[in-house]
Amino acid sequence: MFSRVLIANRGEIALRIIRACHELDVEAVVVYSEADRDAPYIKLADEAICIGPAAPAQSYLNISRIISAAEIANVDAIHPGYGFLAENIEFAQICADSDIDFIGPPVEAMRLLGDKVAARKLAMEVNVPVSPGSENAISDEGEALKLAKKIGYPVIIKASAGGGGRGMRVIHNDISFRQAFDAAKAEAQVAFGNPAVYLEKFINEPRHVEVQILADKHGSALHFYERDCSSQRRHQKMIEESPCLVLEERDREALCEAALRIIKKAKYHNAATVEFLLDRDKNFYFMETNTRIQVEHPVTELVTDFDLIKWMLRIAWGEKLKMSQRDITHRGHAIECRINAEDPAKNFSPCPGRIEKFIPPGGPGVRIDTHVHQGYTVPTNYDSMICKLLVHRPTRAEAIETMKRALKEFVVEPIKTTIPTCLDILSHNMFVKGKIDTGFIERNF
Ligand code: MV4
């Protein structure tokens, strides 16, 4: 196993990775910005290196500073966490060139799956359903309009270099098509430096269901079942759960097997998430593959009892996945609530500041992943997520009850958080019935 690993991230995920390192008897080196210098997780690391000012471009996104820190600290590998450089192909390549193991997929798989048109093609090649639409990127307006008519409205335009909802447009008729198409192309150029866009039939009120994968360097790939992440607001997930309530065991198997076919075809190794849309008739359609560990990975850890972060390190080191698919079972029901420092009364605008009172819940079935403590100041420079609150119970109904109880116990003062919003969602009769889709939060809250 590696002797020393550098964590190129901050906050709860940095702490999560430190913990995994220590359980594997690996030394953890953290880098931090000036804004994070007083965060207590830094003291838990075996070494901590300040890499610059609060602004991400000058610290957590600054490749040369992170590589310098890795060289000074003499680490074997870098874990990028999520966000920041986790899906940055240039960074992964520079790690390789510097003889540092990137704890993530090979560069070629990142490049392939980062190109959404290529990923869509790959899915089709292995008989994974995609929503009807483009075979290739489309740049010609006339050609795009013809295809839109053929698919039938509504259609959605997506950026090939995009993902996670950025640079998408839904179009309902010929009249608005031309303008939307040009705007989407221009937007993709500005946002991603690549004007390539593609078309899909728009699936109405879908669920977002994603499959967790681990693949080793020896050709073995395993799935760890699905998460239902339909409770989103403006493409930000608020609540995730596993299993997905509406999937019968046979559908679940088909979905997870489809995800594995994509991963194997891409010659992928390490952790991945394959995202699908699920329509009302329970047909699934491949959307995209995230080539990183995700925020919501603990949901899967709770239902499967595998430590995904530890496995990422073992896979990068070259170990084989020693279990077989039959050894991976799911038990009970897990729910995660993302607790963000945001003011629900001010359209969820960020609400940074000093936390005077922090009393987290506990008790049976509760897991908390956070770097926050009483007296901690939430910096203004980063993502507003301050805590992930998870529960694991035998049934979904019990998980909801435990989560509501935990949310009611949780005290965070005086900053505003999404705790009350999460409580409202969990109390909504449509959520309780499991009748959720990606528009549920925006329609009801
Ligand atoms: C779609 C769609 C409906 N039909 N594609 C948003 C995130 C990005 N990964 C793709 N997204 C969508 N793609 C087709 N063909 C609806 C969405 C979508 C969505 C997807 C998942 C979670 C929340 C969403 C919110 C709005 C739209």
mmCIF file with all atom_site columns, all heavy atoms in Angstrom, residues 2-18:
data_model
loop_
_atom_site.group_PDB
_atom_site.id
_atom_site.type_symbol
_atom_site.label_atom_id
_atom_site.label_alt_id
_atom_site.label_comp_id
_atom_site.label_asym_id
_atom_site.label_entity_id
_atom_site.label_seq_id
_atom_site.pdbx_PDB_ins_code
_atom_site.Cartn_x
_atom_site.Cartn_y
_atom_site.Cartn_z
_atom_site.occupancy
_atom_site.B_iso_or_equiv
_atom_site.pdbx_formal_charge
_atom_site.auth_seq_id
_atom_site.auth_comp_id
_atom_site.auth_asym_id
_atom_site.auth_atom_id
_atom_site.pdbx_PDB_model_num
ATOM 1   N N   . PHE A 1 2  ? 0.329   2.365  -0.495 1.00 0.00 ? 2  PHE A N   1
ATOM 2   C CA  . PHE A 1 2  ? 1.062   3.643  -0.474 1.00 0.00 ? 2  PHE A CA  1
ATOM 3   C C   . PHE A 1 2  ? 1.534   3.959  0.951  1.00 0.00 ? 2  PHE A C   1
ATOM 4   O O   . PHE A 1 2  ? 0.876   3.582  1.925  1.00 0.00 ? 2  PHE A O   1
ATOM 5   C CB  . PHE A 1 2  ? 0.134   4.789  -0.913 1.00 0.00 ? 2  PHE A CB  1
ATOM 6   C CG  . PHE A 1 2  ? -0.442  4.643  -2.289 1.00 0.00 ? 2  PHE A CG  1
ATOM 7   C CD1 . PHE A 1 2  ? -1.823  4.566  -2.488 1.00 0.00 ? 2  PHE A CD1 1
ATOM 8   C CD2 . PHE A 1 2  ? 0.389   4.599  -3.406 1.00 0.00 ? 2  PHE A CD2 1
ATOM 9   C CE1 . PHE A 1 2  ? -2.366  4.441  -3.762 1.00 0.00 ? 2  PHE A CE1 1
ATOM 10  C CE2 . PHE A 1 2  ? -0.148  4.476  -4.688 1.00 0.00 ? 2  PHE A CE2 1
ATOM 11  C CZ  . PHE A 1 2  ? -1.518  4.395  -4.865 1.00 0.00 ? 2  PHE A CZ  1
ATOM 12  N N   . SER A 1 3  ? 2.659   4.676  1.075  1.00 0.00 ? 3  SER A N   1
ATOM 13  C CA  . SER A 1 3  ? 3.098   5.145  2.396  1.00 0.00 ? 3  SER A CA  1
ATOM 14  C C   . SER A 1 3  ? 2.468   6.489  2.723  1.00 0.00 ? 3  SER A C   1
ATOM 15  O O   . SER A 1 3  ? 2.074   6.741  3.866  1.00 0.00 ? 3  SER A O   1
ATOM 16  C CB  . SER A 1 3  ? 4.614   5.340  2.438  1.00 0.00 ? 3  SER A CB  1
ATOM 17  O OG  . SER A 1 3  ? 5.264   4.256  1.895  1.00 0.00 ? 3  SER A OG  1
ATOM 18  N N   . ARG A 1 4  ? 2.397   7.367  1.706  1.00 0.00 ? 4  ARG A N   1
ATOM 19  C CA  . ARG A 1 4  ? 1.908   8.733  1.934  1.00 0.00 ? 4  ARG A CA  1
ATOM 20  C C   . ARG A 1 4  ? 1.042   9.194  0.774  1.00 0.00 ? 4  ARG A C   1
ATOM 21  O O   . ARG A 1 4  ? 1.429   9.046  -0.391 1.00 0.00 ? 4  ARG A O   1
ATOM 22  C CB  . ARG A 1 4  ? 3.105   9.685  2.006  1.00 0.00 ? 4  ARG A CB  1
ATOM 23  C CG  . ARG A 1 4  ? 3.636   9.948  3.386  1.00 0.00 ? 4  ARG A CG  1
ATOM 24  C CD  . ARG A 1 4  ? 5.037   10.513 3.278  1.00 0.00 ? 4  ARG A CD  1
ATOM 25  N NE  . ARG A 1 4  ? 5.097   11.981 3.338  1.00 0.00 ? 4  ARG A NE  1
ATOM 26  C CZ  . ARG A 1 4  ? 4.877   12.674 4.439  1.00 0.00 ? 4  ARG A CZ  1
ATOM 27  N NH1 . ARG A 1 4  ? 4.533   12.082 5.569  1.00 0.00 ? 4  ARG A NH1 1
ATOM 28  N NH2 . ARG A 1 4  ? 4.982   13.982 4.437  1.00 0.00 ? 4  ARG A NH2 1
ATOM 29  N N   . VAL A 1 5  ? -0.105  9.765  1.118  1.00 0.00 ? 5  VAL A N   1
ATOM 30  C CA  . VAL A 1 5  ? -1.032  10.252 0.094  1.00 0.00 ? 5  VAL A CA  1
ATOM 31  C C   . VAL A 1 5  ? -1.345  11.723 0.346  1.00 0.00 ? 5  VAL A C   1
ATOM 32  O O   . VAL A 1 5  ? -1.573  12.125 1.491  1.00 0.00 ? 5  VAL A O   1
ATOM 33  C CB  . VAL A 1 5  ? -2.339  9.410  0.113  1.00 0.00 ? 5  VAL A CB  1
ATOM 34  C CG1 . VAL A 1 5  ? -3.446  10.081 -0.682 1.00 0.00 ? 5  VAL A CG1 1
ATOM 35  C CG2 . VAL A 1 5  ? -2.084  8.012  -0.439 1.00 0.00 ? 5  VAL A CG2 1
ATOM 36  N N   . LEU A 1 6  ? -1.334  12.515 -0.704 1.00 0.00 ? 6  LEU A N   1
ATOM 37  C CA  . LEU A 1 6  ? -1.726  13.922 -0.589 1.00 0.00 ? 6  LEU A CA  1
ATOM 38  C C   . LEU A 1 6  ? -3.198  14.063 -0.959 1.00 0.00 ? 6  LEU A C   1
ATOM 39  O O   . LEU A 1 6  ? -3.670  13.458 -1.925 1.00 0.00 ? 6  LEU A O   1
ATOM 40  C CB  . LEU A 1 6  ? -0.863  14.806 -1.493 1.00 0.00 ? 6  LEU A CB  1
ATOM 41  C CG  . LEU A 1 6  ? -1.174  16.316 -1.400 1.00 0.00 ? 6  LEU A CG  1
ATOM 42  C CD1 . LEU A 1 6  ? 0.118   17.114 -1.242 1.00 0.00 ? 6  LEU A CD1 1
ATOM 43  C CD2 . LEU A 1 6  ? -1.945  16.821 -2.601 1.00 0.00 ? 6  LEU A CD2 1
ATOM 44  N N   . ILE A 1 7  ? -3.908  14.846 -0.171 1.00 0.00 ? 7  ILE A N   1
ATOM 45  C CA  . ILE A 1 7  ? -5.326  15.079 -0.415 1.00 0.00 ? 7  ILE A CA  1
ATOM 46  C C   . ILE A 1 7  ? -5.481  16.481 -0.999 1.00 0.00 ? 7  ILE A C   1
ATOM 47  O O   . ILE A 1 7  ? -5.210  17.474 -0.323 1.00 0.00 ? 7  ILE A O   1
ATOM 48  C CB  . ILE A 1 7  ? -6.122  14.923 0.894  1.00 0.00 ? 7  ILE A CB  1
ATOM 49  C CG1 . ILE A 1 7  ? -5.941  13.498 1.434  1.00 0.00 ? 7  ILE A CG1 1
ATOM 50  C CG2 . ILE A 1 7  ? -7.602  15.257 0.672  1.00 0.00 ? 7  ILE A CG2 1
ATOM 51  C CD1 . ILE A 1 7  ? -6.287  13.344 2.904  1.00 0.00 ? 7  ILE A CD1 1
ATOM 52  N N   . ALA A 1 8  ? -5.876  16.516 -2.272 1.00 0.00 ? 8  ALA A N   1
ATOM 53  C CA  . ALA A 1 8  ? -5.977  17.802 -2.969 1.00 0.00 ? 8  ALA A CA  1
ATOM 54  C C   . ALA A 1 8  ? -7.408  18.313 -2.860 1.00 0.00 ? 8  ALA A C   1
ATOM 55  O O   . ALA A 1 8  ? -8.103  18.483 -3.863 1.00 0.00 ? 8  ALA A O   1
ATOM 56  C CB  . ALA A 1 8  ? -5.551  17.646 -4.424 1.00 0.00 ? 8  ALA A CB  1
ATOM 57  N N   . ASN A 1 9  ? -7.844  18.547 -1.640 1.00 0.00 ? 9  ASN A N   1
ATOM 58  C CA  . ASN A 1 9  ? -9.209  18.993 -1.422 1.00 0.00 ? 9  ASN A CA  1
ATOM 59  C C   . ASN A 1 9  ? -9.333  19.578 -0.017 1.00 0.00 ? 9  ASN A C   1
ATOM 60  O O   . ASN A 1 9  ? -8.333  19.691 0.696  1.00 0.00 ? 9  ASN A O   1
ATOM 61  C CB  . ASN A 1 9  ? -10.208 17.847 -1.651 1.00 0.00 ? 9  ASN A CB  1
ATOM 62  C CG  . ASN A 1 9  ? -11.512 18.354 -2.271 1.00 0.00 ? 9  ASN A CG  1
ATOM 63  O OD1 . ASN A 1 9  ? -12.204 19.177 -1.683 1.00 0.00 ? 9  ASN A OD1 1
ATOM 64  N ND2 . ASN A 1 9  ? -11.826 17.874 -3.457 1.00 0.00 ? 9  ASN A ND2 1
ATOM 65  N N   . ARG A 1 10 ? -10.539 19.913 0.368  1.00 0.00 ? 10 ARG A N   1
ATOM 66  C CA  . ARG A 1 10 ? -10.760 20.570 1.653  1.00 0.00 ? 10 ARG A CA  1
ATOM 67  C C   . ARG A 1 10 ? -12.050 20.030 2.295  1.00 0.00 ? 10 ARG A C   1
ATOM 68  O O   . ARG A 1 10 ? -12.748 19.208 1.710  1.00 0.00 ? 10 ARG A O   1
ATOM 69  C CB  . ARG A 1 10 ? -10.886 22.091 1.453  1.00 0.00 ? 10 ARG A CB  1
ATOM 70  C CG  . ARG A 1 10 ? -12.106 22.454 0.602  1.00 0.00 ? 10 ARG A CG  1
ATOM 71  C CD  . ARG A 1 10 ? -12.323 23.945 0.507  1.00 0.00 ? 10 ARG A CD  1
ATOM 72  N NE  . ARG A 1 10 ? -12.544 24.570 1.810  1.00 0.00 ? 10 ARG A NE  1
ATOM 73  C CZ  . ARG A 1 10 ? -13.709 24.575 2.472  1.00 0.00 ? 10 ARG A CZ  1
ATOM 74  N NH1 . ARG A 1 10 ? -14.788 24.011 1.961  1.00 0.00 ? 10 ARG A NH1 1
ATOM 75  N NH2 . ARG A 1 10 ? -13.822 25.145 3.641  1.00 0.00 ? 10 ARG A NH2 1
ATOM 76  N N   . GLY A 1 11 ? -12.338 20.509 3.482  1.00 0.00 ? 11 GLY A N   1
ATOM 77  C CA  . GLY A 1 11 ? -13.636 20.275 4.101  1.00 0.00 ? 11 GLY A CA  1
ATOM 78  C C   . GLY A 1 11 ? -13.904 18.817 4.419  1.00 0.00 ? 11 GLY A C   1
ATOM 79  O O   . GLY A 1 11 ? -12.983 18.041 4.666  1.00 0.00 ? 11 GLY A O   1
ATOM 80  N N   . GLU A 1 12 ? -15.199 18.465 4.378  1.00 0.00 ? 12 GLU A N   1
ATOM 81  C CA  . GLU A 1 12 ? -15.593 17.134 4.841  1.00 0.00 ? 12 GLU A CA  1
ATOM 82  C C   . GLU A 1 12 ? -14.933 16.012 4.051  1.00 0.00 ? 12 GLU A C   1
ATOM 83  O O   . GLU A 1 12 ? -14.598 14.974 4.633  1.00 0.00 ? 12 GLU A O   1
ATOM 84  C CB  . GLU A 1 12 ? -17.127 16.997 4.875  1.00 0.00 ? 12 GLU A CB  1
ATOM 85  C CG  . GLU A 1 12 ? -17.823 16.871 3.515  1.00 0.00 ? 12 GLU A CG  1
ATOM 86  C CD  . GLU A 1 12 ? -17.843 15.461 2.941  1.00 0.00 ? 12 GLU A CD  1
ATOM 87  O OE1 . GLU A 1 12 ? -17.666 14.490 3.713  1.00 0.00 ? 12 GLU A OE1 1
ATOM 88  O OE2 . GLU A 1 12 ? -18.019 15.327 1.721  1.00 0.00 ? 12 GLU A OE2 1
ATOM 89  N N   . ILE A 1 13 ? -14.723 16.208 2.750  1.00 0.00 ? 13 ILE A N   1
ATOM 90  C CA  . ILE A 1 13 ? -14.157 15.100 1.963  1.00 0.00 ? 13 ILE A CA  1
ATOM 91  C C   . ILE A 1 13 ? -12.666 14.922 2.274  1.00 0.00 ? 13 ILE A C   1
ATOM 92  O O   . ILE A 1 13 ? -12.156 13.799 2.271  1.00 0.00 ? 13 ILE A O   1
ATOM 93  C CB  . ILE A 1 13 ? -14.449 15.238 0.440  1.00 0.00 ? 13 ILE A CB  1
ATOM 94  C CG1 . ILE A 1 13 ? -14.134 13.937 -0.317 1.00 0.00 ? 13 ILE A CG1 1
ATOM 95  C CG2 . ILE A 1 13 ? -13.702 16.398 -0.194 1.00 0.00 ? 13 ILE A CG2 1
ATOM 96  C CD1 . ILE A 1 13 ? -15.015 12.758 0.063  1.00 0.00 ? 13 ILE A CD1 1
ATOM 97  N N   . ALA A 1 14 ? -11.979 16.031 2.583  1.00 0.00 ? 14 ALA A N   1
ATOM 98  C CA  . ALA A 1 14 ? -10.572 15.914 2.999  1.00 0.00 ? 14 ALA A CA  1
ATOM 99  C C   . ALA A 1 14 ? -10.501 15.078 4.277  1.00 0.00 ? 14 ALA A C   1
ATOM 100 O O   . ALA A 1 14 ? -9.683  14.161 4.404  1.00 0.00 ? 14 ALA A O   1
ATOM 101 C CB  . ALA A 1 14 ? -9.961  17.295 3.204  1.00 0.00 ? 14 ALA A CB  1
ATOM 102 N N   . LEU A 1 15 ? -11.391 15.375 5.220  1.00 0.00 ? 15 LEU A N   1
ATOM 103 C CA  . LEU A 1 15 ? -11.438 14.624 6.480  1.00 0.00 ? 15 LEU A CA  1
ATOM 104 C C   . LEU A 1 15 ? -11.802 13.158 6.236  1.00 0.00 ? 15 LEU A C   1
ATOM 105 O O   . LEU A 1 15 ? -11.199 12.243 6.810  1.00 0.00 ? 15 LEU A O   1
ATOM 106 C CB  . LEU A 1 15 ? -12.444 15.295 7.433  1.00 0.00 ? 15 LEU A CB  1
ATOM 107 C CG  . LEU A 1 15 ? -12.692 14.594 8.770  1.00 0.00 ? 15 LEU A CG  1
ATOM 108 C CD1 . LEU A 1 15 ? -11.392 14.351 9.530  1.00 0.00 ? 15 LEU A CD1 1
ATOM 109 C CD2 . LEU A 1 15 ? -13.649 15.437 9.616  1.00 0.00 ? 15 LEU A CD2 1
ATOM 110 N N   . ARG A 1 16 ? -12.767 12.937 5.352  1.00 0.00 ? 16 ARG A N   1
ATOM 111 C CA  . ARG A 1 16 ? -13.169 11.562 5.021  1.00 0.00 ? 16 ARG A CA  1
ATOM 112 C C   . ARG A 1 16 ? -11.985 10.764 4.480  1.00 0.00 ? 16 ARG A C   1
ATOM 113 O O   . ARG A 1 16 ? -11.800 9.582  4.808  1.00 0.00 ? 16 ARG A O   1
ATOM 114 C CB  . ARG A 1 16 ? -14.310 11.619 3.990  1.00 0.00 ? 16 ARG A CB  1
ATOM 115 C CG  . ARG A 1 16 ? -14.723 10.282 3.373  1.00 0.00 ? 16 ARG A CG  1
ATOM 116 C CD  . ARG A 1 16 ? -15.537 9.454  4.339  1.00 0.00 ? 16 ARG A CD  1
ATOM 117 N NE  . ARG A 1 16 ? -15.789 8.110  3.820  1.00 0.00 ? 16 ARG A NE  1
ATOM 118 C CZ  . ARG A 1 16 ? -14.940 7.089  3.932  1.00 0.00 ? 16 ARG A CZ  1
ATOM 119 N NH1 . ARG A 1 16 ? -13.770 7.238  4.563  1.00 0.00 ? 16 ARG A NH1 1
ATOM 120 N NH2 . ARG A 1 16 ? -15.251 5.911  3.434  1.00 0.00 ? 16 ARG A NH2 1
ATOM 121 N N   . ILE A 1 17 ? -11.172 11.391 3.635  1.00 0.00 ? 17 ILE A N   1
ATOM 122 C CA  . ILE A 1 17 ? -10.022 10.705 3.021  1.00 0.00 ? 17 ILE A CA  1
ATOM 123 C C   . ILE A 1 17 ? -8.909  10.497 4.055  1.00 0.00 ? 17 ILE A C   1
ATOM 124 O O   . ILE A 1 17 ? -8.260  9.437  4.065  1.00 0.00 ? 17 ILE A O   1
ATOM 125 C CB  . ILE A 1 17 ? -9.528  11.463 1.763  1.00 0.00 ? 17 ILE A CB  1
ATOM 126 C CG1 . ILE A 1 17 ? -10.651 11.538 0.709  1.00 0.00 ? 17 ILE A CG1 1
ATOM 127 C CG2 . ILE A 1 17 ? -8.305  10.769 1.159  1.00 0.00 ? 17 ILE A CG2 1
ATOM 128 C CD1 . ILE A 1 17 ? -10.425 12.561 -0.395 1.00 0.00 ? 17 ILE A CD1 1
ATOM 129 N N   . ILE A 1 18 ? -8.698  11.463 4.947  1.00 0.00 ? 18 ILE A N   1
ATOM 130 C CA  . ILE A 1 18 ? -7.712  11.285 6.043  1.00 0.00 ? 18 ILE A CA  1
ATOM 131 C C   . ILE A 1 18 ? -8.077  10.026 6.835  1.00 0.00 ? 18 ILE A C   1
ATOM 132 O O   . ILE A 1 18 ? -7.227  9.187  7.140  1.00 0.00 ? 18 ILE A O   1
ATOM 133 C CB  . ILE A 1 18 ? -7.700  12.509 6.995  1.00 0.00 ? 18 ILE A CB  1
ATOM 134 C CG1 . ILE A 1 18 ? -7.128  13.752 6.305  1.00 0.00 ? 18 ILE A CG1 1
ATOM 135 C CG2 . ILE A 1 18 ? -6.890  12.200 8.266  1.00 0.00 ? 18 ILE A CG2 1
ATOM 136 C CD1 . ILE A 1 18 ? -7.261  15.037 7.125  1.00 0.00 ? 18 ILE A CD1 1
#
